[in-house]
């Protein structure tokens, strides 16, 4: 089970309530990782932690069936409706 480090969404709950929500791993690129952490206001994270798709805009995804992020995608510290997380 994955938990979003930004808003606390859990993958266990999303299968029924919000089936379109997916969980992304933290980028391995050191420069982009620092940008992600700064935007989200997080000091440190681990490779096993995840961020849910609620924090990415549609334009952050590559076209196609699989929902893959562009390498320059940066998560938002709020959900898609503009409300702050947590």
């Amino acid at each position: 089970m994955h938990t979003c480090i930004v808003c606390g969404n859990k993958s266990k709950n999303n299968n029924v309530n919000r089936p379109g929500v997916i969980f992304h791993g933290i980028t391995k690129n050191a420069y982009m990782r620092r940008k992600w952490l700064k935007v989200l206001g997080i000091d440190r994270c681990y490779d096993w932690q995840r961020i849910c798709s609620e924090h990415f805009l549609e334009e952050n995804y590559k076209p196609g069936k699989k929902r893959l992020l562009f390498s320059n995608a940066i998560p938002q510290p709020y959900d898609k409706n503009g409300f702050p997380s947590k």
Side-chain angles (χ1 to χ4, degrees), residues 1-4 8-14 23-24 48-51:
M1 176 174 69
H2 297 298
T3 301
C4 177
N9 274 342
K10 295 184 186 307
S11 59
K12 180 180 178 184
N13 300 337
N14 286 330
F23 290 80
H24 300 286
W48 53 266
Q49 291 179 305
R50 301 284 184 259
I51 297 176

Short mmCIF file of all heavy atoms in Angstrom, two decimals, residues 1-4 8-14 23-24 48-51:
data_model
loop_
_atom_site.label_atom_id
_atom_site.label_comp_id
_atom_site.label_asym_id
_atom_site.label_seq_id
_atom_site.Cartn_x
_atom_site.Cartn_y
_atom_site.Cartn_z
N MET A 1 0.85 -1.19 0.00
CA MET A 1 0.00 0.00 0.00
C MET A 1 0.89 1.24 0.00
O MET A 1 1.83 1.34 0.76
CB MET A 1 -0.89 -0.01 1.25
CG MET A 1 -1.72 1.23 1.36
SD MET A 1 -2.92 1.24 2.69
CE MET A 1 -1.91 1.32 4.12
N HIS A 2 0.58 2.18 -0.89
CA HIS A 2 1.33 3.43 -0.97
C HIS A 2 0.56 4.54 -0.26
O HIS A 2 -0.67 4.53 -0.23
CB HIS A 2 1.54 3.85 -2.42
CG HIS A 2 2.35 2.88 -3.21
ND1 HIS A 2 3.65 2.57 -2.90
CD2 HIS A 2 2.05 2.16 -4.30
CE1 HIS A 2 4.11 1.70 -3.77
NE2 HIS A 2 3.15 1.42 -4.63
N THR A 3 1.30 5.49 0.28
CA THR A 3 0.72 6.68 0.90
C THR A 3 1.39 7.90 0.31
O THR A 3 2.62 7.96 0.22
CB THR A 3 0.93 6.67 2.43
OG1 THR A 3 0.34 5.49 2.96
CG2 THR A 3 0.31 7.88 3.09
N CYS A 4 0.60 8.88 -0.10
CA CYS A 4 1.14 10.11 -0.66
C CYS A 4 1.78 10.93 0.46
O CYS A 4 1.16 11.18 1.49
CB CYS A 4 0.02 10.92 -1.32
SG CYS A 4 0.56 12.50 -1.98
N GLY A 8 -1.42 12.43 2.09
CA GLY A 8 -1.80 11.27 2.89
C GLY A 8 -2.75 10.30 2.21
O GLY A 8 -3.20 9.34 2.83
N ASN A 9 -3.10 10.53 0.92
CA ASN A 9 -3.94 9.57 0.20
C ASN A 9 -3.30 8.19 0.28
O ASN A 9 -2.09 8.05 0.17
CB ASN A 9 -4.04 9.94 -1.29
CG ASN A 9 -5.13 10.93 -1.57
OD1 ASN A 9 -6.03 11.12 -0.78
ND2 ASN A 9 -5.04 11.57 -2.71
N LYS A 10 -4.13 7.19 0.44
CA LYS A 10 -3.64 5.81 0.51
C LYS A 10 -4.15 5.02 -0.69
O LYS A 10 -5.31 5.15 -1.07
CB LYS A 10 -4.09 5.14 1.80
CG LYS A 10 -3.50 5.76 3.04
CD LYS A 10 -3.90 4.99 4.27
CE LYS A 10 -3.45 5.63 5.55
NZ LYS A 10 -2.06 5.95 5.66
N SER A 11 -3.29 4.19 -1.27
CA SER A 11 -3.68 3.42 -2.44
C SER A 11 -4.80 2.44 -2.12
O SER A 11 -5.63 2.14 -2.95
CB SER A 11 -2.48 2.69 -3.03
OG SER A 11 -1.89 1.82 -2.09
N LYS A 12 -4.84 1.96 -0.90
CA LYS A 12 -5.89 1.02 -0.48
C LYS A 12 -7.28 1.65 -0.63
O LYS A 12 -8.22 1.02 -1.07
CB LYS A 12 -5.65 0.61 0.97
CG LYS A 12 -6.67 -0.36 1.51
CD LYS A 12 -6.34 -0.70 2.95
CE LYS A 12 -7.38 -1.62 3.53
NZ LYS A 12 -7.14 -1.90 4.95
N ASN A 13 -7.40 2.92 -0.28
CA ASN A 13 -8.69 3.62 -0.34
C ASN A 13 -9.05 4.06 -1.76
O ASN A 13 -10.20 4.23 -2.08
CB ASN A 13 -8.67 4.86 0.55
CG ASN A 13 -8.41 4.52 2.00
OD1 ASN A 13 -8.65 3.39 2.43
ND2 ASN A 13 -7.88 5.46 2.74
N ASN A 14 -8.07 4.25 -2.61
CA ASN A 14 -8.32 4.81 -3.95
C ASN A 14 -8.91 3.80 -4.92
O ASN A 14 -9.52 4.19 -5.90
CB ASN A 14 -7.04 5.39 -4.53
CG ASN A 14 -6.69 6.69 -3.86
OD1 ASN A 14 -7.56 7.42 -3.42
ND2 ASN A 14 -5.41 6.97 -3.77
N PHE A 23 0.07 6.49 -8.11
CA PHE A 23 1.16 6.95 -7.24
C PHE A 23 2.48 6.93 -7.99
O PHE A 23 2.83 5.93 -8.62
CB PHE A 23 1.22 6.09 -5.98
CG PHE A 23 0.06 6.32 -5.08
CD1 PHE A 23 -1.16 5.73 -5.33
CD2 PHE A 23 0.16 7.18 -4.00
CE1 PHE A 23 -2.26 5.98 -4.52
CE2 PHE A 23 -0.92 7.44 -3.18
CZ PHE A 23 -2.13 6.83 -3.44
N HIS A 24 3.20 8.05 -7.92
CA HIS A 24 4.48 8.20 -8.60
C HIS A 24 5.61 8.17 -7.58
O HIS A 24 5.50 8.76 -6.51
CB HIS A 24 4.54 9.54 -9.34
CG HIS A 24 3.48 9.69 -10.38
ND1 HIS A 24 3.52 9.02 -11.58
CD2 HIS A 24 2.33 10.42 -10.38
CE1 HIS A 24 2.45 9.35 -12.29
NE2 HIS A 24 1.72 10.19 -11.58
N TRP A 48 11.40 5.05 -1.54
CA TRP A 48 10.18 4.25 -1.45
C TRP A 48 8.93 5.10 -1.27
O TRP A 48 7.82 4.60 -1.42
CB TRP A 48 10.29 3.22 -0.32
CG TRP A 48 10.67 3.79 1.01
CD1 TRP A 48 11.93 3.89 1.53
CD2 TRP A 48 9.80 4.35 1.99
NE1 TRP A 48 11.89 4.48 2.77
CE2 TRP A 48 10.59 4.78 3.08
CE3 TRP A 48 8.42 4.55 2.06
CZ2 TRP A 48 10.06 5.38 4.21
CZ3 TRP A 48 7.89 5.15 3.19
CH2 TRP A 48 8.71 5.54 4.26
N GLN A 49 9.07 6.37 -0.99
CA GLN A 49 7.91 7.23 -0.78
C GLN A 49 7.29 7.62 -2.13
O GLN A 49 7.94 7.62 -3.16
CB GLN A 49 8.30 8.47 0.02
CG GLN A 49 8.65 8.11 1.45
CD GLN A 49 9.07 9.31 2.26
OE1 GLN A 49 9.99 10.02 1.88
NE2 GLN A 49 8.40 9.52 3.38
N ARG A 50 6.00 7.99 -2.10
CA ARG A 50 5.23 8.26 -3.30
C ARG A 50 4.46 9.58 -3.20
O ARG A 50 4.16 10.06 -2.11
CB ARG A 50 4.21 7.14 -3.55
CG ARG A 50 4.81 5.76 -3.71
CD ARG A 50 5.45 5.63 -5.08
NE ARG A 50 5.95 4.30 -5.33
CZ ARG A 50 7.23 3.96 -5.23
NH1 ARG A 50 8.11 4.84 -4.85
NH2 ARG A 50 7.63 2.74 -5.52
N ILE A 51 4.12 10.11 -4.38
CA ILE A 51 3.26 11.29 -4.50
C ILE A 51 2.12 10.89 -5.42
O ILE A 51 2.35 10.35 -6.50
CB ILE A 51 4.02 12.49 -5.07
CG1 ILE A 51 5.15 12.89 -4.13
CG2 ILE A 51 3.07 13.67 -5.30
CD1 ILE A 51 6.02 14.01 -4.65
#
